Amino acid sequence: MSARYDIHDLQEQEMVLNMGPQHPSTHGVLRVVLNLNGENVRKAVPYIGYLHRGTEKLAEVRKYYQTLPYTDRMDYLAAPSNNLGYVQAVEKLLGIEEDVPDRARYMRVLMAELARIASHLVWLGTHALDIGALSLFLYCFRERELINDMFEKYCGARLTTSMMRVGGMPAELPEGWVQMLEDFLGIMPERIDEYENLLTENPIWIRRTQGVGVVSPEDAVSLGLTGPCVRGSGVNYDVRRARPYQVYDRLEFDVPLATEGDVFSRYQVRVAEMRQSLRILRQALDQMPEGPWVAELPDYVLPSKVDAMTSIEGQTRHFVLTIHGYKAPPGEVYKAVEGPKGELGYYIVSDGDSKAYRMHVRAPSYYNLAALPLMCENRPVQDVVAVIGSLDIVLGEVDR
Amino acid sequence: MLVDLLIILGTILLVFIAVLTGMAYLTYFERKVLARMQSRIGPNRTGPLGLLQPVADGVKLLTKEGSLPAKADKAVFLIAPVMVFVPALLAWAAIPFGPGFTAFGRQIGMRIADLNVGLIYILAMGSIGVYGIVMAGWASNNKYALLGGLRSSAQVISYEATLGLSLIGVLLMAGSLNLSEIVAAQQGTYFGLIPRWFVLPQILGFAVFLVSAIAETNRPPFDLPEAESELVAGFHVEYGGFGFAMFFLAEYISMLAISALASTVFLGGWLGPSIPLLPDALEGIFWFSAKMAIFIFFYFWLRATLPRFRYDQLMSLCWKIMLPVALLNIVLTGIIKLAL
């Protein structure tokens, strides 16, 4: 051990730090390779694909109704939003958008907004946990539990809900469900205040988030950011406003914007969005009409269980629909919803078969993740964690 | 002679048992307090009210197989936990628990050693611990551990400066480095009502001490060296079983020690209103533990509430805010001391 070092032989080199795919703060299986100079990040390169399950390819070999459960597994924190995006695209392809009854549309909005709140709660909890605020995580999950309970009561599943059907909804709201929602709407504003009390004016939180991970409006648009990530930079783009779907044009709500484009702005936007979602839920619940919850379209919609079990026509229809599915006219559609993470679009090409010829999902997390290298450049390594948290990515959606 | 020796050994044994049990139940207390703050229940399965949880944790940690990373610097890797653990425990030698009592015809002090440089001794033991952390970070041959070790050395050394400076005001007032004498200097009351504890005249020093103490013990919001969400576990990421247990024990023992120091120096140590039917010695221990519990609770409270600082912010807080305030405190104390 008599190695002799000469000061001139020493090299200044960057340290390459492999963050992930097993790292507590990369929100799943994201791998980021960081080139560090001391604690400063010179370059951050995200590597994705660890959760690739070939959802888009699977859609080419599954009938339209069979693809629905796969959509749950993309953004698994907000499955109803994915379901909504998919059924909307298929409905547009089939040309039956106008046949969906009003009650179903309102129910869809209810579910999608609940999913948005649930997703934002998970984001807030984990984001705060990444930055070191421990308790918020448990508070957020406490409230998310209420939403999961509502999903469970409606469709039996808590996470992978598959709760929408082409043509409407699978069932009426069960007894007591509206009361659950009322209770939730009653307590939620206070709870959001509670979260904000812990963070919004907390000097450490402000220091950790303000001026961190800044993305200019121009960069945000050219990188294809959507959702809270682009609205945090002050770009007013919300699919619910830009291209209203379902009944969003009948509901009053604000699109929260922030101007700085940093981690704190995105935090502000998402917290404000939760409050707006509560507003939307309130109105949707009040406006929701009575009536059927699924379209009268025997060619696309399964008969009720009673029908299928008691009449020969119903049973035949049930078998035909499950075995052959329905054929969609040739053509291509793109239909997007405003998911919790941003513009969630489904692009489906049909060649006239009962399966899609090609399906592409515009997953917002994938595009939002593209901003990571830009946001992390020349920042301390601790900011990488804050930035990943503020992008609110779900790797199931990034890799699909 | 033999009696003297027995008394000394007895005190050492008692203090060590007290510290180690105290530390074990500190983890239980922390989990319960955190659970209550986070609307959870906390440990309640092992024994009545989960009271055997620390025992179960201890058995688990000590019976686990330790692992040695292939490319680690083996000797340093193995010494590092000891380097952290032993000084943390040694610091307890100078802390007085109570006023002392007479037995076997001798005056028995409720401490292991009555050092006339007690304060400096405790600070010195606190600073040795950081070597272990740096060694662990280096020897693990792991990038996260290295970053944790580097952060730790910078952080602990910086905050040691403010920790030491914040205590100088107390020294000026008490005129002694001996902890028992510092406590004795806090006897009596102002206007027959407010206790003459140093926390009131030294409020600036106390504030600086509190912040520095948290940083010194690597507790949230200054837990950067072991930030789980960033550095996975920082300097001790490669340790398991016994090695990890040593780091873990050391952190909690230091936390207890620094709380004990804070109660001694700023809150009058064992001093407190007398409790009827309780011997003086036990009364001293009661007040001393009660004051420590306040600090400990404060630690937990911070952990449940605050996010973590960023490295550069931590440094600027130390050098740009804490240090000037500590110096100002020394100057003010000096002027007042001269004027009186």
Side-chain angles (χ1 to χ4, degrees), chain B residues 155 212-219 226 251 254-255 258 299:
Chain B
Q155 173 182 337
S212 314
I214 297 163
E216 175 88 6
T217 43
N218 294 337
R219 292 285 301 176
E226 46 196 286
E251 180 179 327
S254 314
M255 201 160 107
I258 216 103
Y299 267 97

Side-chain angles (χ1 to χ4, degrees), chain A residues 15-20 23-25 36 38-39 129-136 138-139 142 198-199 202 204-205 207-208 212 379-383 385, chain B residues 34 36-40 143-144 146-148 150-151 220-221 224 227-232 303-314 316-317 321:
Chain A
M15 180 164 101
V16 180
L17 185 69
N18 189 28
M19 200 174 183
H23 186 281
S25 301
L36 294 180
E39 288 240 1
L129 189 66
D130 289 345
I131 297 187
L134 205 59
S135 301
L136 206 70
L138 290 133
Y139 297 160
R142 179 182 65 195
L198 272 172
L199 295 182
N202 184 329
I204 304 180
W205 178 260
R207 279 165 166 227
R208 281 302 305 276
V212 173
R379 304 294 313 178
V381 70
Q382 277 184 293
D383 284 350
V385 168
Chain B
L34 276 185
R36 177 55 69 90
M37 287 177 175
Q38 297 171 341
S39 67
R40 307 183 277 128
K143 288 170 182 171
Y144 288 109
L146 181 67
L147 280 178
L150 286 176
R151 279 184 186 183
L224 288 95
E228 197 200 327
S229 47
E230 296 146 16
L231 296 185
V232 197
R303 178 169 177 200
T305 314
L306 292 181
R308 190 180 299 120
F309 272 100
R310 202 170 66 206
Y311 183 62
D312 52 324
Q313 294 163 349
L314 182 87
S316 68
L317 178 75
I321 300 173

Side-chain angles (χ1 to χ4, degrees), chain B residues 15-26 85 89 249 253 256:
Chain B
V15 168
F16 275 27
I17 291 174
V19 169
L20 289 176
T21 358
M23 177 265 139
Y25 278 90
L26 190 61
F85 179 69
L89 208 51
L249 287 167
I253 291 173
L256 274 175

Side-chain angles (χ1 to χ4, degrees), chain A residues 22-39:
Chain A
Q22 288 91 17
H23 186 281
S25 301
T26 50
H27 293 233
V29 285
L30 173 66
R31 173 173 165 227
V32 188
V33 174
L34 302 171
N35 284 23
L36 294 180
N37 179 1
E39 288 240 1

Side-chain angles (χ1 to χ4, degrees), chain A residues 151-185:
Chain A
F151 288 164
E152 187 182 6
K153 180 138 181 145
Y154 180 66
C155 67
R158 293 162 65 81
L159 214 59
T160 47
T161 52
S162 298
M163 62 156 65
M164 291 176 197
R165 297 287 181 271
V166 172
M169 296 292 278
E172 175 59 297
L173 293 175
E175 208 176 311
W177 196 90
V178 172
Q179 189 54 45
M180 283 171 99
L181 181 57
E182 291 279 3
D183 294 345
F184 178 76
L185 290 176

Side-chain angles (χ1 to χ4, degrees), chain B residues 96-116:
Chain B
F97 292 80
F101 54 94
T102 320
F104 311 113
R106 277 162 238 268
Q107 177 66 25
I108 297 174
M110 298 172 75
R111 67 186 93 77
I112 293 175
D114 190 16
L115 297 176
N116 55 7

